[in-house]
Amino acid sequence: MALSGPDFSMTEFLGAISDTVPPGAARPFVVHAAELERLPAEQVHNPTELAVAGRLPTATFEIFRQTIPPGLSSDMQRHHHETVHYVISGDGHSEVEDDTGSWSAGDFVYTPPWTWHRHYNDSTEHPVEFLTIENSRLLGMLGLVRRQSAGLVTMAEARARFKEDTA
């Protein structure tokens, strides 16, 4: 099956998805909180903790539980996939390119593809908890996964560091 180009077939693509990830013992339809797989700190590149519900039989999206410790933030990053954060608990704000928005428990935060963004925990006492959903698996199947991290820097510093890389 071609993943792109003139031989690509949406019908074949969608049919292959349903054939590849049936729920079962290895990929259950329920993953308990204690079964989330914590990503190693060296893969996260910032003070947040990420735990993935990787055993769920999702084919086109990935689900994480993200924790931002009190007074800290995620890294300044951009990626080709879309992301939605549901704020489970806490208060903070996000920068997405030139926009800044505040949020609290019960809110949703949307990050469009290939936009510089960073999420901040505004509390000095309590962590922020996100349920993070992204369509990275779908883009991975299409060979379109790309992510850049500028680290714990400002928007201007990220843009300067990656100024020649716009695609």
Side-chain angles (χ1 to χ4, degrees):
M1 174 181 74
L3 294 178
S4 63
D7 295 328
F8 175 78
S9 163
M10 182 60 77
T11 303
E12 287 180 28
F13 176 75
L14 294 174
I17 290 172
S18 64
D19 290 342
T20 58
V21 280
R27 305 273 289 178
F29 69 93
V30 174
V31 173
H32 300 282
E35 298 172 317
L36 296 179
E37 303 162 35
R38 189 167 179 209
L39 297 182
E42 64 271 9
Q43 289 182 14
V44 179
H45 305 294
N46 66 65
T48 70
E49 295 177 18
L50 284 172
V52 62
R55 292 181 58 225
L56 287 174
T58 59
T60 61
F61 61 93
E62 195 77 78
I63 301 174
F64 298 89
R65 181 161 186 148
Q66 183 174 9
T67 304
I68 303 177
L72 298 178
S73 73
S74 64
D75 59 327
M76 185 65 72
Q77 61 177 269
R78 65 183 176 179
H79 37 70
H80 282 167
H81 57 267
E82 293 178 284
T83 304
V84 173
H85 295 280
Y86 172 73
V87 185
I88 298 169
S89 64
D91 298 291
H93 70 280
S94 296
E95 292 177 278
V96 178
E97 289 294 339
D98 295 320
D99 295 319
T100 300
S102 295
W103 40 258
S104 60
D107 293 341
F108 291 85
V109 180
Y110 173 70
T111 306
W114 208 241
T115 56
W116 286 111
H117 61 279
R118 188 170 177 183
H119 309 291
Y120 297 83
N121 181 347
D122 292 340
S123 172
T124 58
E125 298 178 23
H126 305 287
V128 161
E129 296 283 341
F130 285 136
L131 174 65
T132 302
I133 305 165
E134 56 186 47
N135 65 340
S136 53
R137 284 190 180 180
L138 174 63
L139 294 185
M141 290 187 328
L142 296 172
L144 300 173
V145 174
R146 186 159 185 216
R147 178 187 299 267
Q148 290 179 328
S149 172
L152 300 174
V153 302
T154 66
M155 184 77 62
E157 290 168 321
R159 287 175 174 157
R161 184 178 302 167
F162 293 95
K163 67 179 177 222
E164 60 283 334
D165 192 1
T166 58

